[in-house]
């Protein structure tokens, strides 16, 4: 008997303290926390770069930066936001929440999980150090198109190596997510009844496994073109720079769904909870997620209408792109139908979720406009595109992350955040986001090109407005940091295990803060089924 308890306690409840807890972390919650803090830090680094860009663009003419450095700022801003902030934040959420929501004790491969995370800081360090090497950081844009990316200095090599590490990290993280979701669900939770966030994480992980190696291949070919005498992308040696664009965007378009699908999952968790009504059309949400994922492999050419392609190819990419609007529309209609005639309340997570639905739709519509090949040949590389992708990435991915943070902070910290301050953060962000990015539609339509440090005089007013908006938006995010710290330090008081009346998924069955180890014995069938019934996924 004693031996049995001793055995149970040994090594299991023992938790490393100090730096060992984090460096040797194998616990999914600790690793989730590491991911989330890393993402938050990168969000501020990338955000600072965005403000440096906006400062230069406040007025025409060159004020602060040399053009070369301006290009490095845009490039690093893009890479850091995509690979350093948004993607790690979603992986952090998956790590923290999937085992809790599925009733599993941890992620499937706890030690590999440690590696997935700890590859990220060196990758980020490479990118930041590259600012200091001769020639500076990579300046060819986050898309790294040759010939620029072949001609530039060693900052590009560091970026390539950084992308290798980031890709490795993504692949290992994805293997973990897929294995956990497929094998470790509580008894009584078939795939078609698991929380939608688990579904979108699963599909996203498959996308990443499919395309991270494609990106790695593309940048490796860049590397060998740069240093080892190959001519994949060098026209002078018989290669083709356009080939790079095909490979890059075969990765790049699924990549935008890697940043969008988890956001759909989060919003699909949150809206039913605050509407106190089961999610409308659960199964159609799953099918829509899968359709979007499959279609995302067939539309890469819409980024390349301007390189010159046969009319049939243009039509193919244009129609398939438009087809994605169908499953996306299904999702938007389902979210609205969930809210229809429901008893909604508007706590901060719900506000961000609704903000997401409204603004992501705006970004979706400008995307639809860009998908029209003859229109895109006019708008390619203008600020219209910048407006479009910030609507889907900032008001889309980022807003969903804020929604998730406020939604789960009580579970993470054991304390409630200050509702008034959360709401303030939402309305402030909503306002200044639109002030920053809406005028960019007009700038783009009027012909202002992207990735330039200087511009023609007629673009002055809207640029000044956008820059003021960006500064204010940025300040609001410092306020978010303040909210998070305030909550960690006790917030407005202890949170109950189920702070949201409508929270019926399994994470609300464990105490707040979630103990270091949860679901060491899986939740019993009755608990699982009670939750499913409340979510409308199982009949009485
Ligand atoms: C709200 C804060 C942000 C502001 C003010 C901002 C501003 C900007 C600006 C001014 C550019 C340069 C456009 C150009 O000259 O082509 C840019 C590019 C970009 N931004 Fe942001 N941005 C913000 C947040 C984000 C976030 C959260 C993401 C998430 C992924 C993101 C992704 C990108 C990408 C991918 C590019 C393209 C970089 C390139 O051209 O290589 N941005 N942003
Ligand atoms: Cu695309």
């Amino acid at each position: 008997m004693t031996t049995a308890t001793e055995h149970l306690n040994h090594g299991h409840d023992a938790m490393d303290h100090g730096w060992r807890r984090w460096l040797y972390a194998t616990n999914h919650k600790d690793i989730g926390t590491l991911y989330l803090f890393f993402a938050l830090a990168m969000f501020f680094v990338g955000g600072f770069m965005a403000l440096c860009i906006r400062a230069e663009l406040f007025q025409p003419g060159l004020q602060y930066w040399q053009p070369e450095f301006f290009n490095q700022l845009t490039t690093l801003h893009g890479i850091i936001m995509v690979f350093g902030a948004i993607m790690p934040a979603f992986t952090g959420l998956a790590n923290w929440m999937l085992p809790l929501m599925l009733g599993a004790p941890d992620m499937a491969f706890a030690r590999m999980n440690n590696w997935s995370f700890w590859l990220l800081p060196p990758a980020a360090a490479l990118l930041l150090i590259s600012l200091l090497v001769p020639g500076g950081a990579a300046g060819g844009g986050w898309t790294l198109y040759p010939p620029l990316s072949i001609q530039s200095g060693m900052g590009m090599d560091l970026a390539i190596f950084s992308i290798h590490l980031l890709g490795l990290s993504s692949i290992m993280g994805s293997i973990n997510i897929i294995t956990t979701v497929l094998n470790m669900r509580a008894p009584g939770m078939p795939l078609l009844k698991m929380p939608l966030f688990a579904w979108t994480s699963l599909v996203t992980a498959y996308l990443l496994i499919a395309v991270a190696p494609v990106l790695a291949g593309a940048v490796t070919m860049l590397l060998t073109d740069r240093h080892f005498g190959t001519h994949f992308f060098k026209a002078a040696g018989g290669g083709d720079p356009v080939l790079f664009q095909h490979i890059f965007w075969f990765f790049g378009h699924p990549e935008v769904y890697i940043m969008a699908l988890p956001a759909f999952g989060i919003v699909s968790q949150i809206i039913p909870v605050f509407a106190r009504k089961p999610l409308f059309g659960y199964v159609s949400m799953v099918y829509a997620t899968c359709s979007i994922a499959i279609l995302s492999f067939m539309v890469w050419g819409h980024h390349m209408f301007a390189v010159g392609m046969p009319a049939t190819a243009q039509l193919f990419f244009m129609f398939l792109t438009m087809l994605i609007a169908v499953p996306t529309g299904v999702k938007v209609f389902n979210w609205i139908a969930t809210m229809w005639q429901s008893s909604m309340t508007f706590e901060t997570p719900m506000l961000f979720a609704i903000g997401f639905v409204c603004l992501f739709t705006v970004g979706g519509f400008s995307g639809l406009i860009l998908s029209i090949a003859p229109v895109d040949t006019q708008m390619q590389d203008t600020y219209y595109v910048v407006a479009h992708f910030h609507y889907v990435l900032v008001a889309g991915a980022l807003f969903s992350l804020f929604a998730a943070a406020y939604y789960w902070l009580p579970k993470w910290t054991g304390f409630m955040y200050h509702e008034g301050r959360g709401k303030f953060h939402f309305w402030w962000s909503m306002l200044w986001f639109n002030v920053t990015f809406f005028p960019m539609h007009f700038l783009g339509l009027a012909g202002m090109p992207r990735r330039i440090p200087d511009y023609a005089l007629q673009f002055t007013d809207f640029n000044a407005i956008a820059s003021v908006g960006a500064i204010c938006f940025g300040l609001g995010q410092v306020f978010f940091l303040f909210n998070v710290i305030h909550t960690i330090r006790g917030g407005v008081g202890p949170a109950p295990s189920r702070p949201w009346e409508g929270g019926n998924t399994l994470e609300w069955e464990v105490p707040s803060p979630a103990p270091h180890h949860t679901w060491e014995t899986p939740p019993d069938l009755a608990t699982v089924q009670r939750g499913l019934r409340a979510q409308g996924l199982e009949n009485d």
Side-chain angles (χ1 to χ4, degrees):
M1 189 59 216
T2 13
T3 33
T5 25
E6 256 168 26
H7 177 76
L8 271 181
N9 285 335
H10 190 79
H12 215 63
D13 285 335
M15 181 172 93
D16 280 329
H17 288 283
W19 60 271
R20 279 194 182 80
R21 170 172 176 192
W22 303 107
L23 187 63
Y24 302 155
T26 50
N27 179 289
H28 72 100
K29 302 185 186 84
D30 284 353
I31 293 176
T33 304
L34 284 170
Y35 265 107
L36 290 172
F37 274 117
F38 174 83
L40 192 61
M42 286 298 114
F43 171 57
F44 281 105
V45 174
F48 178 73
M49 290 171 173
L51 293 186
C52 292
I53 300 172
R54 285 309 330 165
E56 180 60 57
L57 295 175
F58 181 66
Q59 283 176 28
L62 288 183
Q63 275 78 230
Y64 304 108
W65 321 118
Q66 291 304 311
E68 292 78 15
F69 184 66
F70 183 91
N71 285 344
Q72 297 169 21
L73 281 175
T74 37
T75 307
L76 284 191
H77 162 75
I79 296 180
I80 286 175
M81 285 300 198
V82 170
F83 296 103
I86 303 287
M87 290 171 68
F90 283 132
T91 319
L93 289 179
N95 262 293
W96 238 106
M97 300 319 296
L98 287 184
L100 280 177
M101 298 173 102
L102 299 173
D106 205 306
M107 296 295 279
F109 304 112
R111 283 171 210 274
M112 186 167 76
N113 211 6
N114 176 293
W115 266 95
S116 314
F117 173 76
W118 280 108
L119 285 178
L120 296 181
L126 282 173
L127 284 178
L128 294 179
I129 290 170
S130 74
L131 281 167
L132 308 174
V133 301
W142 86 284
T143 49
L144 307 174
Y145 281 2
L148 257 186
S149 54
I150 293 184
Q151 293 155 357
S152 50
M154 75 175 285
M156 184 60 67
D157 300 316
L158 297 181
I160 289 172
F161 190 39
S162 171
I163 287 173
H164 282 147
L165 293 182
L166 293 162
L168 264 176
S169 159
S170 293
I171 291 171
M172 292 197 287
S174 301
I175 291 173
N176 237 325
I177 288 173
I178 292 173
T179 315
T180 308
V181 172
L182 291 186
N183 296 309
M184 295 174 66
R185 299 186 312 279
M189 188 187 284
L191 277 177
L192 270 176
K193 290 184 179 171
M194 66 181 184
L196 255 155
F197 180 60
W199 260 110
T200 55
S201 299
L202 176 70
V203 176
T204 304
Y206 277 119
L207 282 183
L208 255 179
I209 289 203
V211 300
V214 176
L215 176 65
V219 296
T220 306
M221 286 191 263
L222 275 185
L223 191 73
T224 60
D225 269 12
R226 285 166 58 81
H227 297 295
F228 304 106
T230 56
H231 298 91
F232 294 112
F233 310 130
K234 281 186 190 158
D240 183 1
V242 174
L243 174 64
F244 178 88
Q245 298 192 21
H246 281 293
I247 304 173
F248 180 87
W249 286 111
F250 189 77
F251 146 81
H253 192 82
E255 170 65 25
V256 307
Y257 284 101
I258 288 164
M259 294 187 278
L261 292 179
F264 295 164
I266 289 166
V267 168
S268 305
Q269 290 310 133
I270 290 177
I271 288 184
V273 169
F274 293 92
R276 292 164 182 76
K277 225 177 108 194
L279 182 68
F280 186 90
Y282 172 95
V283 178
S284 67
M285 285 299 212
V286 174
Y287 287 141
T289 306
C290 299
S291 324
I292 293 173
I294 293 166
L295 283 172
S296 77
F297 286 105
M298 301 186 236
V299 298
W300 77 91
H302 63 210
H303 297 274
M304 304 169 55
F305 285 137
V307 300
M309 60 171 83
T312 21
Q314 292 195 30
L315 285 175
F316 174 87
F317 287 123
M318 169 167 142
F319 289 146
L320 279 170
T321 305
M322 292 176 164
L323 208 56
I324 297 191
V326 176
T328 314
V330 167
K331 282 181 176 283
V332 173
F333 281 119
N334 282 346
W335 290 322
I336 293 172
T338 308
M339 292 189 273
W340 190 256
Q341 296 198 328
S342 70
S343 323
M344 280 195 281
T345 49
F346 299 95
E347 286 89 342
T348 312
M350 183 65 160
L351 288 177
F352 272 110
I354 296 175
F356 169 96
V357 175
C358 297
L359 295 187
F360 190 91
T361 306
V362 174
F365 275 127
S366 58
L368 212 51
I369 291 169
L370 287 169
S371 77
I372 305 166
V375 173
D376 185 72
T377 41
Q378 305 291 310
M379 315 260 250
Q380 156 106 30
D381 270 339
T382 66
Y383 257 80
Y384 193 87
V385 176
V386 179
H388 155 68
F389 69 69
H390 283 90
Y391 266 81
V392 289
L393 290 176
V394 179
L398 189 61
F399 273 25
S400 85
L401 286 165
F402 287 143
Y406 286 107
Y407 183 56
W408 283 315
L409 261 174
K411 186 56 63 190
W412 298 335
T413 64
F415 299 111
M416 285 308 284
Y417 64 87
H418 188 292
E419 192 60 63
R421 290 180 195 160
K423 287 192 168 125
F424 180 79
H425 175 217
F426 168 75
W427 287 110
W428 181 273
S429 302
M430 185 77 178
L431 171 68
W432 295 112
F433 167 81
N434 284 295
V435 172
T436 310
F437 291 104
F438 206 76
M440 292 185 190
H441 292 107
F442 307 137
L443 285 171
L445 287 171
M448 176 171 161
R450 64 188 281 210
R451 294 174 175 167
I452 47 161
D454 185 8
Y455 49 81
L457 293 181
Q458 70 267 31
F459 302 131
T460 308
D461 292 347
F462 283 135
N463 269 296
I465 294 172
S467 291
V468 171
I471 299 277
C472 294
F473 184 88
L475 282 177
Q477 309 325 309
V478 178
F479 188 69
F480 171 66
L481 182 66
F482 171 76
N483 274 352
V484 172
I485 295 173
H486 175 255
T487 313
I488 293 174
R489 294 179 146 200
V492 294
S497 62
R498 188 195 304 272
W500 314 119
E501 189 187 2
N504 294 310
T505 36
L506 285 174
E507 77 269 36
W508 309 114
E509 301 289 336
V510 306
S512 300
H516 203 55
H517 293 288
T518 39
W519 301 136
E520 289 176 282
T521 41
D524 56 60
L525 206 56
T527 313
V528 174
Q529 287 177 338
R530 177 157 37 83
L532 293 180
R533 264 196 303 279
Q535 293 170 61
L537 293 175
E538 196 149 284
N539 302 325
D540 301 277

